[in-house]
Amino acid sequence: MNKKKALIVGLVILAIFLIFRFWFGLGPAPVKAQVERRNLETYIEASGKLKATQEVVLSFPLLGNLEMVASSSSQVKKGEIVARLKAHDLWANLQQAYAGLNKARSNFYYYLEVKSQTDTASAWKEDATSKALVNQASNNVAGAQDGVEAAQFAVDASQATYNKAFLKAPFDGVVGESSLKVAE
């Protein structure tokens, strides 16, 4: 009976130990570790087909040689140039239009000054010659003003044509397929 008694006492001690351990959480000692902030990097690998949420096909409204094109899969921001034609002649036309505008403005200011002087000189005169000079000066100013407007129109038209030599991204995205090659 000693063995039986020893077995019962051992089981009671084991049960008391397990109850204390469960009840009071007497387990392994806690491990201390230093915590530091880091970026979490995750990688996802998947197979399948991607469908674009926005898609647009871009083309030039002008003919010309391609000078630059963004490569396929490159990321672009809205308004960023994705392709460009050689536009040296268009740039020269635009600069020539600006020169014409500057000359027209210069003529306008010249005729405006002449009209001012004619008005001052003929202010008190009532003769036909003075009136003719004032009318001629007014007509010259009006003609010069028309010249400025025509020159501004030429600048606007040249600028619009020059801008057509550039394809710009209509929204942020990624360049899909690009079959264009430089010098085509």
Side-chain angles (χ1 to χ4, degrees):
M1 195 108 38
N2 268 343
K3 283 186 179 182
K4 213 177 194 188
K5 219 178 194 182
L7 184 62
I8 292 175
V9 170
L11 286 175
V12 170
I13 291 174
L14 181 62
I16 292 171
F17 173 74
L18 290 175
I19 289 172
F20 271 102
R21 182 174 177 175
F22 177 74
W23 193 265
F24 294 110
L26 299 174
V31 177
K32 292 184 179 181
Q34 185 172 359
V35 177
E36 53 185 64
R37 184 177 292 250
R38 290 188 184 173
N39 290 333
L40 177 63
E41 293 181 20
T42 58
Y43 298 94
I44 298 174
E45 205 172 300
S47 62
K49 291 185 178 182
L50 294 176
K51 182 159 173 66
T53 56
Q54 286 184 303
E55 187 175 320
V56 66
V57 176
L58 301 175
S59 62
F60 287 104
L62 300 175
L63 296 177
N65 289 333
L66 193 62
E67 187 172 57
M68 184 279 285
V69 63
S71 60
S72 296
S73 302
S74 59
Q75 291 188 349
V76 292
K77 298 283 184 190
K78 180 179 180 179
E80 187 176 332
I81 295 172
V82 292
R84 176 180 68 231
L85 293 176
K86 287 185 180 178
H88 305 295
D89 54 340
L90 299 176
W91 177 254
N93 290 345
L94 180 59
Q95 295 310 307
Q96 193 172 24
Y98 272 115
L101 178 60
N102 288 337
K103 184 175 181 181
R105 285 179 178 161
S106 211
N107 285 342
F108 173 73
Y109 291 125
Y110 169 77
Y111 285 120
L112 200 59
E113 179 63 30
V114 168
K115 182 181 179 321
S116 174
Q117 291 173 1
T118 304
D119 287 347
T120 302
S122 302
W124 301 102
K125 297 180 183 176
E126 292 291 326
D127 60 273
T129 304
S130 296
K131 287 182 181 181
L133 286 174
V134 169
N135 284 340
Q136 181 62 41
S138 294
N139 290 340
N140 287 344
V141 168
Q145 187 172 9
D146 290 344
V148 169
E149 290 172 6
Q152 182 64 56
F153 178 78
V155 166
D156 294 343
S158 292
Q159 183 70 57
T161 303
Y162 179 73
N163 290 345
K164 290 178 182 176
F166 302 91
L167 289 182
K168 296 181 179 181
F171 48 81
D172 292 354
V174 176
V175 176
E177 280 186 49
S178 177
S179 60
L180 300 173
K181 293 187 182 1
V182 173
E184 282 189 328

